């Protein structure tokens, strides 16, 4: 075999042919998947390869959200994959949902976010806490991508501590009057509706469906992000918005409502982050086999091997964590604290791998010829949203010690 630069295959090069879309699966985790899981994975993988990979670097560089992807995401079943088929959703299990998020995030965390928000943060609360009428009205249209939603919990002064929210509703006959503002809301500027969490006059947190076009409701875009640049983020501003009482989610009161949605989305992120890590690892491994310095591929140096060996070890551990979490979720036994551990570990793992992969690519690692910097910048957001790295540590701390560091 001859390499591009004319070097003959040597003892340094054992395997130089790597299919860029064949992720490394060191412990054959694929063997644990059913045929349905593999079908879902392959469909999403093919779609990412055809629709996301060719455009994502450019979209990120320009800071433009490829909103045309919403339709394709719907077609591959990325919106509510584990919600029931009777509402037009996927009807698959939690592992299928995880694998779909993983394949999407191999493409881009922002594209995975488009699906996470729609499926886990908007459709899920409607399914779990909505009336039958609300489910029938919204879920099929959201599964098909006809309606795009967003999720408003975070406020300018209440991020990690949503219980302090000041957005509020006041009773006004057949409607509530909504006032307040939400900050950092994925998809808000392009969304047709929002699931918004607000306090009623007794201070109890309620969930409401706020529709674009309601008087006093605006969704300004947040500019200047260096992370998740292909995902659109905005605010939700409510000035005396009259929300019909029929738009209130009837079956939930209190913070556990939005936190349950977060559990669902954090679970998906625990899987998704593995995708970003694998994409960085694959690129670094390939580069280490092709890049020659001091007369041999850099993959032949022990320090590069240490990086790659540790990367694949951490990816493998994260895959097994996600797999076990998925089996618990399928049995209805995954606890919020277990989900926190997996979200925290796997996102941090992915970010560390992106940083190591960047080093292996040398100067080329900072360019848009490789996906590394884009993943790395994206993962800075993923480390923070859906509960920061430190908040998840404190959730684990509380779970194991019984002491609550938040109170
Ligand atoms: P605390 O008293 O602990 O809990 C209140 C009630 O909620 C229950 N609960 C949960 N239920 C389900 N899932 C969870 N993960 C839950 N965590 C707690 C809890 O049992 C209790 O129930 P009950 O029946 O006793 O009322 O609440 P706290 O105010 O002390 O807060 C605890 C803390 C800090 C862990 C929580 O506030 C938290 O997780 N903060 C982080 C906030 C966060 O993650 N925000 C994310 C915003 S959304 C987002 O980032 C979307 S990005 C989307 C994308 O683009 O992909
Ligand atoms: P803060 O809560 O102010 O935290 C700042 C720092 O203080 C962090 O390091 C944190 O860990 C630390 N800290 C806070 N409290 C403690 C404590 N008790 N002990 C130790 N350290 C602590 N929100 C939504 O509702 N919907 C969305 O769709 C959404 N999308 C987002 C998209 C993007 C691109 C981003 C960046 C954010 C998004 N968020 C969304 C908001 C996100 O969930 C919050 O940014 C996150 O929860 C952290 O809140 P904060 O930014 O206000 O940080």
């Amino acid at each position: 075999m001859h390499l591009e630069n004319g070097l003959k295959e040597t003892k340094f090069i054992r395997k130089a042919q790597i299919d860029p879309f064949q992720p490394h699966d060191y412990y054959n985790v694929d063997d644990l998947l059913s045929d349905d899981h593999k079908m879902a994975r392959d469909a999403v993988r093919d779609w990412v390869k055809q629709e996301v990979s060719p455009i994502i670097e450019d979209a990120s560089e320009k800071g433009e959200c490829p909103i045309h992807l919403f339709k394709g995401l719907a077609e591959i079943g990325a919106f509510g994959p584990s919600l029931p088929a009777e509402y037009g959703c996927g009807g698959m299990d939690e592992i299928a949902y995880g694998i779909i998020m993983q394949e999407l995030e191999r493409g881009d965390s922002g594209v995975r976010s488009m699906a996470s928000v729609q499926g886990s943060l908007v459709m899920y609360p409607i399914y779990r806490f909505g009336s039958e009428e609300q489910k029938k009205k919204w879920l099929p249209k959201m599964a098909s991508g006809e309606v795009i939603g967003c999720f408003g919990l975070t406020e300018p002064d209440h991020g990690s501590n949503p219980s302090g929210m000041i957005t509020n509703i006041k009773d006004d006959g057949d409607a509530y009057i909504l006032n307040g503002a939400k900050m950092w809301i994925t998809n808000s500027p392009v969304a047709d509706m929002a699931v918004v969490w607000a306090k009623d006059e007794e201070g109890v947190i309620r969930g409401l469906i706020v529709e674009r076009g309601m008087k006093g409701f605006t969704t300004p875009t947040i500019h200047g992000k260096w992370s998740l640049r292909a995902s659109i983020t905005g605010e939700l501003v409510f000035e005396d918005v009259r929300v019909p009482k029929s738009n209130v989610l009837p079956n939930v009161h209190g913070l556990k409502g939005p936190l349950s949605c977060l559990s669902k989305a954090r679970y998906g992120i625990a899987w998704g982050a593995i995708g970003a890590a694998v994409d960085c690892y694959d690129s670094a491994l390939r580069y280490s086999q092709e890049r020659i310095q001091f007369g041999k591929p850099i993959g032949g140096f022990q320090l590069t091997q240490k990086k790659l060996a540790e990367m694949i070890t951490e990816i493998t551990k994260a895959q097994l964590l996600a797999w076990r979490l998925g089996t618990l979720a399928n049995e209805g036994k995954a606890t919020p604290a277990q989900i926190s551990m997996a979200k925290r570990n796997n996102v941090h793992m992915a970010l560390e791998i992106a940083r190591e992969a960047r080093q292996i690519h040398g100067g080329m690692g900072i360019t848009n010829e490789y996906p590394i910097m884009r993943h790395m910048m994206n993962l800075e957001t993923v480390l923070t949203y859906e509960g920061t790295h430190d908040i998840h540590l404190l959730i684990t701390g509380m779970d194991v010690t019984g002491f609550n560091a938040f109170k």
Side-chain angles (χ1 to χ4, degrees):
M1 172 192 164
H2 286 268
L3 299 178
E4 265 176 27
N5 59 13
L7 281 185
K8 279 196 177 160
E9 185 171 16
T10 70
K11 64 179 177 176
F12 302 119
I13 305 170
R14 193 170 52 85
K15 187 175 72 170
Q17 299 294 327
I18 302 166
D19 174 353
F21 261 81
Q22 191 55 53
H24 289 83
D25 182 17
Y26 206 74
Y27 263 42
N28 302 344
V29 175
D30 259 22
D31 291 354
L32 299 169
L33 305 182
S34 68
D35 289 346
D36 284 352
H37 295 146
K38 286 181 188 159
M39 246 164 57
R41 180 203 57 197
D42 292 347
V44 179
R45 187 176 289 175
D46 289 348
W47 180 80
V48 167
K49 189 174 178 177
Q50 279 161 28
E51 304 294 333
V52 178
S53 301
I55 57 117
I56 197 64
E57 214 66 55
D58 190 48
S60 278
E61 201 173 324
K62 291 181 176 147
E64 287 172 1
C65 177
I67 50 173
H68 68 279
L69 295 181
F70 277 116
K71 201 74 203 155
L73 282 164
E75 280 163 13
I76 56 168
F79 295 155
S82 58
L83 298 181
E86 65 177 295
Y87 298 110
C89 306
M92 290 183 276
D93 71 1
E94 297 300 330
I95 289 178
Y97 160 46
I99 288 166
I100 290 171
M101 296 301 123
Q102 185 172 305
E103 290 303 322
L104 290 179
E105 199 146 355
R106 281 185 75 203
D108 190 77
S109 303
V111 175
R112 195 267 307 134
S113 256
M114 290 160 91
S116 294
V117 169
Q118 179 89 343
S120 303
L121 295 181
V122 186
M123 294 166 70
Y124 176 72
I126 294 173
Y127 166 66
R128 172 106 187 257
F129 306 124
S131 65
E132 197 52 38
E133 198 185 344
Q134 288 168 339
K135 292 182 210 184
K136 287 193 174 124
K137 174 172 176 186
W138 295 105
L139 294 181
K141 286 186 182 165
M142 299 199 79
S144 68
E146 194 183 323
V147 167
I148 299 303
C150 64
F151 175 87
L153 179 64
T154 306
E155 299 189 353
D157 294 329
H158 300 94
S160 297
N161 178 25
S163 73
M165 69 172 66
I166 54 175
T167 297
N168 63 84
I169 48 172
K170 290 201 167 44
D171 201 321
D172 188 38
D174 60 352
Y176 284 110
I177 304 298
L178 172 66
N179 276 290
K182 299 289 176 179
M183 176 84 174
W184 295 118
I185 307 304
T186 299
N187 294 345
S188 84
V190 297
D192 303 295
M193 51 84 93
V195 167
V196 175
W197 302 93
K199 279 184 181 162
D200 67 14
E201 285 156 288
E202 281 75 50
V204 177
I205 293 173
R206 305 299 309 272
L208 304 95
I209 298 168
V210 182
E211 298 176 49
R212 186 170 294 285
M214 285 180 171
K215 195 159 169 274
F217 174 39
T218 51
T219 59
T221 304
I222 294 174
H223 295 285
K225 295 183 350 248
W226 284 110
S227 173
L228 228 62
R229 288 176 57 76
S231 165
I232 189 160
T233 316
E235 299 171 49
L236 300 173
V237 181
F238 315 108
E239 290 170 324
D240 289 328
V241 183
R242 204 157 192 282
V243 183
K245 283 189 174 161
S246 55
N247 278 29
V248 175
L249 301 178
N251 300 321
V252 69
H253 293 75
L255 189 61
K256 67 175 176 294
L259 291 181
S260 308
C261 309
L262 295 183
S263 280
K264 184 90 176 157
R266 290 166 178 173
Y267 168 86
I269 291 174
W271 281 85
I274 299 169
V278 163
D279 201 40
C280 292
Y281 168 77
D282 279 349
S283 183
L285 179 60
R286 215 161 38 248
Y287 194 81
S288 78
Q289 293 176 319
E290 290 164 358
R291 176 69 176 165
I292 310 292
Q293 288 293 288
F294 299 96
K296 69 176 184 181
I298 58 170
F301 296 114
Q302 289 180 2
L303 289 176
T304 311
Q305 288 183 8
K306 177 176 187 291
K307 287 186 175 63
L308 290 164
E310 288 179 349
M311 285 158 83
I312 191 63
T313 305
E314 291 306 316
I315 286 171
T316 304
K317 284 154 66 179
Q319 285 172 327
L320 294 173
L321 194 59
W323 169 261
R324 177 61 187 148
L325 187 66
T327 57
L328 288 171
N330 276 345
E331 294 163 10
K333 293 198 298 206
T335 66
Q338 286 170 333
I339 293 170
S340 280
M341 181 186 280
K343 189 270 184 184
R344 178 176 186 272
N345 181 79
N346 290 7
V347 175
H348 187 254
M349 171 283 299
L351 186 53
E352 289 299 311
I353 282 177
R355 288 172 179 157
E356 293 288 81
R358 213 290 303 151
Q359 287 199 61
I360 289 175
H361 287 77
M364 290 308 291
I366 70 157
T367 70
N368 63 5
E369 283 195 36
Y370 294 91
I372 313 298
M373 279 299 281
R374 179 170 50 79
H375 282 308
M376 192 196 299
M377 292 193 299
N378 284 343
L379 288 162
E380 289 291 347
T381 286
V382 184
L383 195 77
T384 286
Y385 69 21
E386 299 274 6
T388 70
H389 189 62
D390 286 343
I391 292 296
H392 288 297
L393 177 97
L394 294 174
I395 292 171
T396 306
M398 175 163 56
D399 202 43
V400 297
T401 66
F403 298 119
N404 186 339
F406 300 111
K407 308 275 187 204

